[in-house]
Amino acid sequence: MSDASYLSLEKLTLAYGDSVAVANLDLTIKKGELIALLGPSGCGKTTTMRAIAGLLAVKSGHVRLDGADITRVPANKRAVGLMFQSYALFPHLSVYENVAFGLKLKGMRGPELDAKVQSGLKSVGLSNFANRRPAELSGGQQQRVALARSMVMEPKVLLLDEPLSNLDARLRLEMRTELQRVQKATGVTMIFVTHDQAEALALADRIVVMKSGKIEQIGSPEDIYNRPTSSFVADFVGFENIFPLENGKMKTGAGLVDLSGSLSSEAPSAAGLAWRPRMVTLGTGPFQGTVRGTSFAGDSREYLLDSPLGPIKAEVEASQPAHALGAGLSFDLPAEKAAPLSRFV
Amino acid sequence: MTARSLFIPVTLFLVIAFLIGPFLIIVAASFSAGETLAFPPQGFSLRWIAKVFTVESFRASFGMSLFLAIGGTAAALVLGIPASYALSRYKLPGAEIVRTVVSAPIIVPGIIVGLALLRYIVVPFQVGITPALFLAHTALVLPYAVRVVSASLDNLRSDIEEAAVLLGSSRLGAFFRVVMPNIRGGIMSAFILGFVTSFNQVPVSLFLSGPGVRTLPVDMIAYMEIVFDPSVAALSSLLAFLSIGIVFLAERFLGFSRYV
C-alpha cells in the first residue's frame, strides 16, 4: 500500500435488488485528498458513498482502505465517518453528548473523553453550545456539530453528503472555508457528494464526474472546467453549444458544416466540439442567426439565437450594444476556442 | 333569535348532556345514603365509597384487572415495538396483511373474539383461566401498541441509526441507544392507552372468566345481579376518575393526543 492508493474501489458493482446502480467502478484516491463525486441525481454518487461507508452491501468488486480489504467489514468497524445531508444529530442528546457518542462507544471515559469532546467543539466554534439540544441550533450550527461528531473519531476517510446544499449563500462560503481548514489541519481524506458543479470546483482537489453508475471523467477542477472529455461533462459544466464531429465537419441541423478556423493540434480525432456561451463571437462570422431570447445578467448579457445549425447560446459583455429580439445577427463558433470532446453521448 | 340560530347550540347541548349525563348520574348516585341504586340520590354519605374497599371479590378482581392491564400491555409492547419497527423501516412483503391482522382485534367485535378464543383455543388446549385472560388482553392491546409506536417511529428520521452505526454502534445497539429514547413518548402513550383499554374490557373477559377468577368489570356485573346497592356506582366513579386522572397526566407530560 502506498499513499497513492489509500482508498481504492476495484470493479465495484452496487445494486438495489436487481437494479444496478453502479457498475464496474474503478477509483483510486490518495491519502489526504479532497475528492468530489459530482453528477446529477441518480448517477450513483450517493450509492458509491454509502458503499464506502459500509451502509450498502457490495454486489461485486472490492473496497480497500489503508492497505486492508474492507469490502465485508461492517460499517461500525471501518473507521469511516459520514456527515449526513440532514446532519442526523441525535435529537434526545445535547451537543456535548452527540460529540461524545462515538468516543464513549470506543470506551473513552473521564477527563480524556471530556478533553476530546471540548477540543472537538472548540474546533468548530461551538464550545458555548455544549448543553444545547440540536433542535435549538441553526442549520449551520447543527452541521458543525455533525462535523465535530465525525472528526473526533479520527476517521480514515470522511464522507460528506451534499455538505453545502442546505445552507444559504453566506453560510455556504463559511462552511466551505471550514471544511478546507479542517482538511488541511487534520490531513483527513475527504470525499463529498454533490450535484452542484460550482461546489465541486471550489472545494475539491479532484473531481469525479459520474453518470448512470459510471465514471465519466476524473480530473482537477481546471481539467473538468476547461477540458471536458465528453459531451455529458461539457454540458454539465456549462458548455451549452455542443456539436458532434464527422470527418472533420460539424454535424448540425443544417447538415455537415465546415469548421470556422482550424482545430488545435491536440484533438485531431475529436468526436465533438463544445463552446461555452462566452466563447461564441457575435456580430461577425460565417453563420447567421435570429435573436429569440435575451436576458441581462449584470456584467454580461445572454442571447438565445435561432440558426440553421440549431439553437445557439451566446454571452457577451454588457458594455457591448444590445441586440433586439428578432434581430438578424451573424456569429462565429471559433474552432480554436472549442473544447474537443473524445466521446459524444 | 331565530330557530335556525338556536339549532346548533341546542344540538350541542343535547349531545353533551347525552354523553356526560349518565356519568354525572352515576357519580351523584355513589354519594347516596339510601340502600338501593337510585337517582336522585337519597341524602348524602360516603358509606358506599367506603364499602367498595371492603368487598373481598372487588379486591381480588381489581388485582386481576391490574395484573392483566399492566402485564398484558407490557407483553403487547414487547411484541409490538419490534413489529412496528419492522413495519416502518423495511419494505416487507405482506406488510399490509400483517398490519391488517394485527389490527383485527379492534375491528372484530369483542363478543366474537371472546367466543373464538374460548371455543378454539381455551377449551381444546385446556388453557387455564389466568393465562387465557392474559393472552386475550395482550392480543387486544397489541393493535394499539403497534399503531401508536408506528406513528412515533414514522416521525423519527432513520438516518440517525446509520449515524450511530458509523460512530461504532451495532445495529441493535443503535436501536436501543438512539431509537428507543426518541420514541419514549410514543411507548408511554401506547402503554397508557393499552392499560385503559385492557382495564375497561368487558366482552372478551366475560367469556374467559371462570370460577374465582374475574376481571373487575365482569365482577361488577356479577355483583349487580345479586346486590343492587350504590357500591357499584361508587366503584364506577372511582374507576372513571382514575382513568381521567391518568389521561390528564399523560396529556400534560407526554402530549398524549399527538400519538393517539
Side-chain angles (χ1 to χ4, degrees), chain B residues 230-255:
Chain B
S231 59
V232 168
L235 180 49
S236 302
S237 305
L238 290 175
L239 291 178
F241 284 114
L242 185 69
S243 290
I244 292 170
I246 290 173
V247 172
F248 175 79
L249 289 176
E251 180 60 44
R252 180 83 177 68
F253 294 108
L254 295 170

Side-chain angles (χ1 to χ4, degrees), chain B residues 68-177:
Chain B
L68 292 175
I70 293 173
T73 304
L77 282 170
V78 168
L79 297 171
I81 293 171
S84 310
Y85 183 80
L87 287 171
S88 110
R89 289 290 185 266
Y90 302 103
K91 284 182 197 129
L92 300 170
E96 275 316 300
I97 297 171
V98 172
R99 251 183 239 276
T100 311
V101 169
V102 165
S103 28
I106 295 186
I107 300 154
V108 179
I111 296 276
I112 296 174
V113 175
L115 180 62
L117 283 172
L118 182 66
R119 175 67 184 79
Y120 296 102
I121 307 263
V122 176
V123 174
F125 297 102
Q126 296 292 309
V127 183
I129 297 170
T130 307
L133 281 168
F134 186 85
L135 267 176
H137 280 248
T138 303
L140 287 168
V141 169
L142 188 61
Y144 297 98
V146 169
R147 218 188 98 194
V148 176
V149 174
S150 292
S152 66
L153 275 172
D154 290 341
N155 287 330
L156 184 67
R157 301 191 57 97
S158 59
D159 52 14
I160 62 168
E161 292 166 59
E162 295 185 337
V165 167
L166 288 169
L167 292 169
S169 178
S170 65
R171 276 273 165 196
L172 190 64
F175 178 80
F176 287 107
R177 289 188 186 99

Side-chain angles (χ1 to χ4, degrees), chain A residues 224-246:
Chain A
I224 301 292
Y225 189 78
N226 295 321
R227 291 177 288 281
T229 57
S230 76
S231 56
F232 173 81
V233 178
D235 186 46
F236 205 74
V237 299
F239 287 79
E240 295 188 71
N241 306 298
I242 304 177
F243 294 98
L245 277 183
E246 209 173 282

Side-chain angles (χ1 to χ4, degrees), chain A residues 128-148:
Chain A
N128 295 331
F129 295 84
N131 295 319
R132 300 271 188 99
R133 289 291 166 99
E136 297 165 334
L137 303 181
S138 71
Q141 290 168 334
Q142 289 185 29
Q143 187 167 36
R144 283 186 280 153
V145 176
L147 181 64

Side-chain angles (χ1 to χ4, degrees), chain A residues 241 243 250 257-262 273-289 305 307 309 312-316 329-338:
Chain A
N241 306 298
F243 294 98
M250 280 198 296
V257 173
D258 281 325
L259 288 174
S260 140
S262 53
L273 294 177
W275 290 266
R276 289 182 179 281
R278 63 174 64 226
M279 294 172 172
V280 178
T281 314
L282 276 193
T284 60
F287 308 118
Q288 287 297 317
L305 304 182
S307 84
L309 306 181
I312 296 291
K313 273 205 183 150
E315 184 183 330
V316 294
L329 210 53
S330 52
F331 68 91
D332 191 11
L333 297 171
E336 67 277 7
K337 284 191 180 171

Side-chain angles (χ1 to χ4, degrees), chain A residues 50 76 82 86 90 92 105, chain B residues 159-160 162 165 169 177 181-182:
Chain A
R50 290 177 63 80
N76 56 346
L82 171 55
S86 64
F90 307 130
H92 63 298
L105 285 172
Chain B
D159 52 14
I160 62 168
E162 295 185 337
V165 167
S169 178
R177 289 188 186 99
N182 283 302

